[in-house]
Amino acid sequence: MYKLLYMFLIISFPSFSLSMNNSLDKVKLLKVKQEYENQIHQCQLLENRKLKPINDPWLNTLPLERKKIILNELNNTALQRCVIKKEKDFTYKLMDYTAKTGDKLFLNSWLIFQSALYGESDNLLLTENEQENINRLTALPKYYYPFNIKSVT
């Protein structure tokens, strides 16, 4: 999910940075955008983190395919947690820039992209028991940061 986001930022904003003059608002927006991209990259690097095999009784009872779905959901939650602060900072600066300049092009692109991302996650159907266990597991240090899903399956 965030690999796609990172590609979007790279593709969507090069012309944005070239068309900007030296106004303070634009410089601040570019700085926050760069910090956000750096955070996405750092979180993606954490996805190489290998975990020891699963020793959670609930996860061990799941069929392999369902376990992969749950682990993917745990990893997505960790990725979101990893970038959320920088994402909020960027979104706020983008909205502030739009309000001050009246330039809606980049905010509109961002909103369209975000709505597509949130639409993807709505397709996952979890039982109440699965959601409770996912919430329990996301609080554990082992699953707090992104990880390599293949290392635990």
Side-chain angles (χ1 to χ4, degrees):
M1 174 171 77
Y2 283 97
K3 290 178 185 175
L4 184 61
L5 176 61
Y6 188 66
M7 288 176 26
F8 167 77
L9 290 173
I10 298 293
I11 292 168
S12 296
F13 289 94
S15 60
F16 177 50
S17 61
L18 295 175
S19 66
M20 291 186 155
N21 62 29
N22 292 330
S23 79
L24 186 57
D25 291 329
K26 293 176 184 180
V27 170
K28 287 179 183 178
L29 179 60
L30 286 175
K31 182 178 183 245
V32 172
K33 175 191 158 284
Q34 185 62 52
E35 290 171 0
Y36 180 37
E37 288 175 348
N38 291 343
Q39 185 65 32
I40 291 169
H41 179 70
Q42 291 301 315
C43 295
Q44 287 174 335
L45 291 176
L46 285 172
E47 281 189 298
N48 295 323
R49 188 172 67 97
K50 293 183 179 181
L51 299 180
K52 294 178 183 174
I54 299 168
N55 59 2
D56 183 77
W58 175 74
L59 271 174
N60 286 332
T61 64
L62 296 176
L64 183 59
E65 286 305 311
R66 200 65 188 167
K67 188 184 298 186
K68 286 179 182 179
I69 291 170
I70 299 300
L71 288 170
N72 191 51
E73 190 65 20
L74 284 170
N75 192 51
N76 285 340
T77 300
L79 278 168
Q80 184 178 6
R81 181 186 300 126
C82 189
V83 299
I84 193 70
K85 183 185 179 324
K86 296 295 182 184
E87 182 177 312
K88 285 180 180 180
D89 292 347
F90 173 69
T91 303
Y92 173 77
K93 280 293 182 194
L94 184 56
M95 291 173 60
D96 185 56
Y97 168 80
T98 302
K100 288 180 179 177
T101 65
D103 181 1
K104 297 178 187 176
L105 178 65
F106 307 106
L107 178 61
N108 288 341
S109 295
W110 176 248
L111 293 173
I112 290 167
F113 183 76
Q114 286 296 312
S115 67
L117 278 182
Y118 287 112
E120 283 180 11
S121 64
D122 293 342
N123 295 332
L124 181 61
L125 296 175
L126 298 171
T127 66
E128 188 175 325
N129 181 47
E130 288 173 331
Q131 190 58 59
E132 287 173 6
N133 277 292
I134 287 172
N135 292 341
R136 176 182 60 82
L137 291 169
T138 58
L140 298 175
K142 181 176 187 173
Y143 302 108
Y144 193 82
Y145 293 104
F147 58 92
N148 183 332
I149 295 169
K150 292 177 183 176
S151 72
V152 290
T153 54

